[in-house]
């Protein structure tokens, strides 16, 4: 019933995508008009990020810094955006590709340490699991991974509950640190439900990798000296815009692919809505400014929440930094 309602609304208000190569000399301008809903900006940014396109001032260039000239690529972008079910109101909140039965998706969380990846791979090999693909992030002493595996003999997803339970238990033992105050987790999840990059952000956020930790001889991870050093990157500030009833978030960071996606992903999953934004890149540095509110329409009201948002955005920027 929900799907039929979404299809009806979609037919009444189809998304409109305009791709313009004439409006700007150095970039392709993409304009998307659709039904307004929470997460719509993330959906657009995710489609473009998945295609390795770079968003500058909300205009788009390819990975080599040029306009998008290939008509097949332009048509593909238009189809992806116009046919994305997320642009129609729906009670489903999952984002990404259609679930598949081709492999089993394993989510891992634990303490980062030397040799962890080798041990995880050794366990999977001993259990006759073939790794189809995997993505692993480490940040602030924590590690998270999404690993897609198949049964080595059949080449298909692993469905035997006894085998799945054994995989979960053995991997959890590998991930559990001897002095880890947090609990290691191994979860078997339906594949393809959520974009893998977004899912890794969600896993590490749930694991509270943004928490400040003590470092030997350095005191707190964010001490007063760092607070005074505004030239250090990434640099995130969260302030009130009382006259407009917004919270203003500004970020300066080393420019890299998918930086905007990581920021918008975090804001969206923390239940903030972006009303206005500015994205600028200059040489190797990126500047982003967003006017946000809670999904309930109110700006941030406490210093503790502002501080937590700063920590979470800095963590979101740093998690993928090792890829660059």
């Amino acid at each position: 019933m929900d799907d039929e309602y979404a299809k009806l609304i979609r037919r009444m208000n189809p998304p409109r995508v305009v791709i313009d190569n004439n409006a700007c000399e150095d970039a392709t301008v993409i304009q998307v008009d659709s039904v307004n809903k929470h997460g719509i900006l993330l959906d657009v940014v995710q489609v473009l990020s998945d295609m390795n396109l770079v968003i500058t001032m909300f205009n788009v260039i390819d990975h080599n810094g040029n306009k998008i000239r290939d008509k097949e690529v332009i048509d593909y972008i238009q189809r992806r955006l116009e046919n994305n079910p997320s642009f129609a109101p729906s009670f489903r909140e999952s984002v990404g590709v259609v679930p598949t039965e081709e492999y089993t998706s394993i989510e891992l969380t634990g303490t980062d340490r030397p040799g962890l990846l080798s041990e995880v791979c050794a366990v999977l090999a001993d259990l006759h699991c073939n790794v189809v693909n995997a993505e692993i992030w480490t940040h602030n002493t924590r590690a998270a991974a999404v690993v897609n595996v198949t049964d080595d003999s059949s080449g298909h997803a692993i469905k035997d509950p006894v085998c799945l339970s054994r995989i979960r238990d053995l991997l959890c033992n590998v991930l559990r640190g001897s002095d880890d105050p947090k609990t290691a987790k191994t979860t078997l999840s339906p594949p393809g439900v959520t974009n893998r990059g977004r899912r890794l952000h969600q896993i590490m956020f749930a694991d509270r990798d943004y928490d400040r930790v003590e470092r030997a001889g350095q005191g707190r991870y964010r001490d007063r000296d760092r607070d005074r050093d505004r030239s250090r990157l990434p640099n995130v500030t969260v302030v009130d815009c009382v006259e407009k009833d917004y919270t203003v978030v500004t970020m300066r960071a080393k420019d890299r692919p998918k930086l905007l996606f990581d920021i918008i992903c975090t804001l969206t999953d923390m239940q903030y809505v972006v009303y206005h934004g500015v994205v600028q890149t200059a040489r190797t540095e990126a500047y982003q400014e967003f006017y946000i509110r809670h999904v309930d329409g109110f700006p941030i009201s406490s210093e503790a929440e502002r501080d937590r948002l700063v920590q979470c955005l800095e963590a979101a920027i740093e998690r993928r930094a090792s890829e660059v």
Side-chain angles (χ1 to χ4, degrees):
M1 185 65 182
D2 293 346
D3 287 343
E4 293 303 318
Y5 174 76
K7 291 177 183 177
L8 174 62
I9 296 299
R10 184 180 177 83
R11 287 194 296 269
M12 295 171 60
N13 301 279
R16 179 172 177 267
V17 179
V18 177
I19 300 178
D20 189 347
N21 263 325
N22 298 317
C24 179
E25 181 179 351
D26 302 319
T28 298
V29 179
I30 298 178
Q31 179 179 327
V32 181
D33 297 315
S34 72
V35 174
N36 188 24
K37 58 167 286 188
H38 180 57
I40 195 71
L41 177 59
L42 175 60
D43 293 333
V44 174
V45 172
Q46 180 175 302
V47 169
L48 300 176
S49 297
D50 286 347
M51 298 182 67
N52 290 322
L53 298 177
V54 179
I55 301 173
T56 62
M57 300 176 63
F58 286 107
N59 296 337
V60 176
I61 57 177
D62 65 20
H63 206 60
N64 296 318
N66 302 315
K67 282 188 179 184
I68 305 169
R69 301 290 188 182
D70 190 327
K71 190 174 185 305
E72 289 187 6
V73 174
I74 291 175
D75 291 343
Y76 178 76
I77 294 172
Q78 196 151 7
R79 288 197 306 271
R80 278 286 305 271
L81 291 174
E82 289 182 341
N83 296 324
N84 191 329
S86 298
F87 293 130
S90 172
F91 295 98
R92 292 184 177 180
E93 292 302 320
S94 61
V95 179
V97 298
V98 177
T100 175
E101 295 294 324
E102 295 177 357
Y103 53 79
T104 300
S105 187
I106 305 173
E107 298 177 355
L108 310 172
T109 312
T111 303
D112 185 28
R113 56 183 170 79
L116 178 61
L117 178 58
S118 296
E119 293 180 29
V120 168
C121 291
V123 168
L124 292 174
D126 287 344
L127 294 171
H128 306 289
C129 297
N130 175 53
V131 177
V132 178
N133 54 61
E135 190 163 353
I136 301 170
W137 288 2
T138 62
H139 177 252
N140 202 16
T141 75
R142 306 301 297 169
V146 176
V147 184
N148 297 324
V149 302
T150 58
D151 180 84
D152 195 31
S153 58
S154 68
H156 298 299
I158 303 168
K159 297 182 179 180
D160 181 358
V162 176
C163 182
L164 292 174
S165 179
R166 181 168 172 76
I167 292 172
R168 183 169 47 242
D169 292 343
L170 290 177
L171 287 177
C172 203
N173 288 335
V174 169
L175 290 162
R176 188 177 296 115
S178 58
D179 57 349
D180 187 5
K182 300 182 180 181
T183 304
K185 296 179 182 178
T186 303
T187 305
L188 303 174
S189 62
V193 172
T194 303
N195 171 276
R196 189 160 59 187
R198 184 177 185 184
R199 186 64 194 130
L200 283 164
H201 277 301
Q202 292 171 340
I203 294 170
M204 300 205 83
F205 176 80
D207 195 45
R208 299 181 65 91
D209 74 309
Y210 56 83
D211 276 345
R212 300 164 185 170
V213 298
E214 296 283 353
R215 298 189 187 276
Q218 296 182 5
R220 304 299 287 177
Y221 176 71
R222 170 202 285 273
D223 56 20
R224 288 176 297 179
D225 292 336
R226 181 179 181 185
D227 286 337
R228 287 195 295 266
D229 184 7
R230 296 301 178 187
S231 65
R232 185 164 181 163
L233 299 180
N235 180 260
V236 181
T237 62
V238 178
V239 298
D240 295 327
C241 181
V242 179
E243 61 273 16
K244 298 292 185 180
D245 205 28
Y246 290 116
T247 297
V248 183
V249 181
T250 60
M251 280 148 291
R252 287 174 50 247
K254 180 181 178 182
D255 193 25
R256 60 165 174 78
K258 299 188 179 180
L259 177 62
L260 179 60
F261 170 80
D262 295 334
I263 296 300
I264 298 300
C265 178
T266 300
L267 290 172
T268 302
D269 285 338
M270 292 183 72
Q271 300 299 302
Y272 296 110
V273 178
V274 175
Y275 287 83
H276 308 284
V278 175
V279 176
Q280 296 177 339
T281 57
R283 295 184 180 178
T284 61
E285 187 172 310
Y287 173 83
Q288 299 179 20
E289 179 180 275
F290 300 106
Y291 288 73
I292 68 170
R293 292 177 185 152
H294 286 287
V295 290
D296 60 11
F298 292 98
I300 294 176
S301 58
S302 71
E303 185 63 31
E305 186 178 358
R306 278 188 286 270
D307 189 54
R308 180 170 180 263
L309 179 56
V310 168
Q311 293 179 58
C312 291
L313 289 174
E314 287 186 345
I317 294 170
E318 293 167 350
R319 286 170 193 148
R320 205 194 292 264
S322 60
E323 292 187 1
V324 181

